[in-house]
Amino acid sequence: MKKILILIFSFFYLLNQDSKIVDSFFNKYTNINSAKIKFEIVTKQNNNLKFQNFGEMILIDDSFKMIIDDIMYFFDEKILYTVIEENYEVNIYNTQENEEFLNNSLISTLNLKELLINLKNDFSYELENINEKNDIKHMLTFKNEGNSDYKILFKSNFEIISIEIFYKDSNLINKIFLKELKLNTPLNKNEIKINLDNYKDYFINRL
């Protein structure tokens, strides 16, 4: 009887610990005011490498600037701008009219605050604890029927290592490795604002 009680106590203790880990993880990322991220994106199809891209992102409140290879993205007040210098082209999207485009793009995944709010509210999730040579990591798996599945690997201090996206009805997998992550540090909002006067010689495409 005593062994059974110990097992029951241990089970509920572990459940409580897992719950605290998950709550702390969500609290860290759903309350972001600013973030500076350097990342690598690896795209695989049938386990074969298709693409490898590098970039960085500056996020302040609900606005951001992101560079992936040679393309710059600016998001401010529901408007998304993409600047393709090679083509002398600026594309402007009203995200309220193109919500599906934004939600299904890697841009939404790299906006950690919005991503974690969405995953917390709309997905079921399960925590797995990984012990590797005295180093504890955690994996959260998110599922929602009809949506892509996500796996987020993070350290014991809740720093995200990688985000993996498994697309429905597809053999494509995107994995984002966070090479550098700084949260809630003072940033200049002018860094993330686009000045269209700098692109007078570009073709402006409003979509």
Side-chain angles (χ1 to χ4, degrees):
M1 184 65 180
K2 185 177 180 181
K3 287 184 179 179
I4 294 173
L5 288 173
I6 292 172
L7 287 172
I8 292 172
F9 175 79
S10 298
F11 174 75
F12 282 105
Y13 174 79
L14 290 173
L15 279 180
N16 184 54
Q17 289 300 106
D18 284 357
S19 179
K20 286 182 178 178
I21 291 169
V22 172
D23 287 345
S24 296
F25 177 77
F26 280 129
N27 286 337
K28 178 168 183 171
Y29 291 99
T30 57
N31 292 294
I32 292 174
N33 295 317
S34 66
K36 195 166 187 177
I37 308 166
K38 291 185 179 179
F39 56 86
E40 174 189 1
I41 303 172
V42 174
T43 302
K44 289 187 176 182
Q45 186 173 32
N46 295 324
N47 213 31
N48 296 315
L49 180 65
K50 300 294 289 184
F51 305 104
Q52 186 176 22
N53 307 91
F54 296 88
E56 55 186 85
M57 180 181 192
I58 298 173
L59 171 73
I60 302 175
D61 297 326
D62 295 324
S63 303
F64 63 76
K65 175 186 176 182
M66 178 164 41
I67 302 171
I68 300 179
D69 294 336
D70 297 324
I71 301 178
M72 287 187 290
Y73 301 83
F74 298 84
F75 180 76
D76 189 35
E77 295 182 357
K78 305 296 182 183
I79 304 297
L80 174 68
Y81 304 84
T82 64
V83 179
I84 307 172
E85 293 185 344
E86 183 180 5
N87 299 340
Y88 286 87
E89 177 182 329
V90 176
N91 297 308
I92 303 174
Y93 302 86
N94 184 327
T95 59
Q96 290 180 314
E97 298 174 4
N98 297 274
E99 187 175 358
E100 186 175 349
F101 164 79
L102 185 64
N103 290 341
N104 292 328
S105 70
L106 283 173
I107 297 169
S108 62
T109 303
L110 286 159
N111 186 340
L112 297 178
K113 181 177 181 177
E114 292 302 317
L115 172 68
L116 268 300
I117 289 173
N118 179 43
L119 293 177
K120 180 182 180 182
N121 293 337
D122 299 333
F123 285 67
S124 62
Y125 44 86
E126 182 178 344
L127 180 71
E128 177 187 356
N129 299 309
I130 304 166
N131 293 305
E132 294 179 348
K133 297 180 180 179
N134 299 321
D135 184 21
I136 300 175
K137 296 184 177 70
H138 309 283
M139 175 81 79
L140 268 172
T141 300
F142 298 86
K143 293 182 178 292
N144 181 329
E145 188 175 348
N147 287 280
S148 303
D149 294 338
Y150 291 79
K151 286 187 176 181
I152 299 181
L153 180 67
F154 58 98
K155 299 177 182 179
S156 56
N157 65 354
F158 310 110
E159 184 176 324
I160 294 175
I161 300 169
S162 64
I163 302 169
E164 204 164 4
I165 311 165
F166 302 83
Y167 296 96
K168 292 289 184 186
D169 305 319
S170 172
N171 48 21
L172 278 176
I173 297 173
N174 273 318
K175 192 167 186 177
I176 303 168
F177 297 92
L178 302 192
K179 301 295 188 179
E180 184 179 314
L181 177 61
K182 296 179 181 178
L183 300 178
N184 298 325
T185 57
L187 296 171
N188 186 346
K189 202 152 189 174
N190 289 329
E191 290 186 69
I192 62 172
K193 287 192 174 294
I194 186 171
N195 185 352
L196 290 176
D197 288 340
N198 295 334
Y199 303 99
K200 289 179 179 178
D201 297 332
Y202 283 51
F203 173 71
I204 306 296
N205 187 22
R206 297 182 183 272
L207 300 168

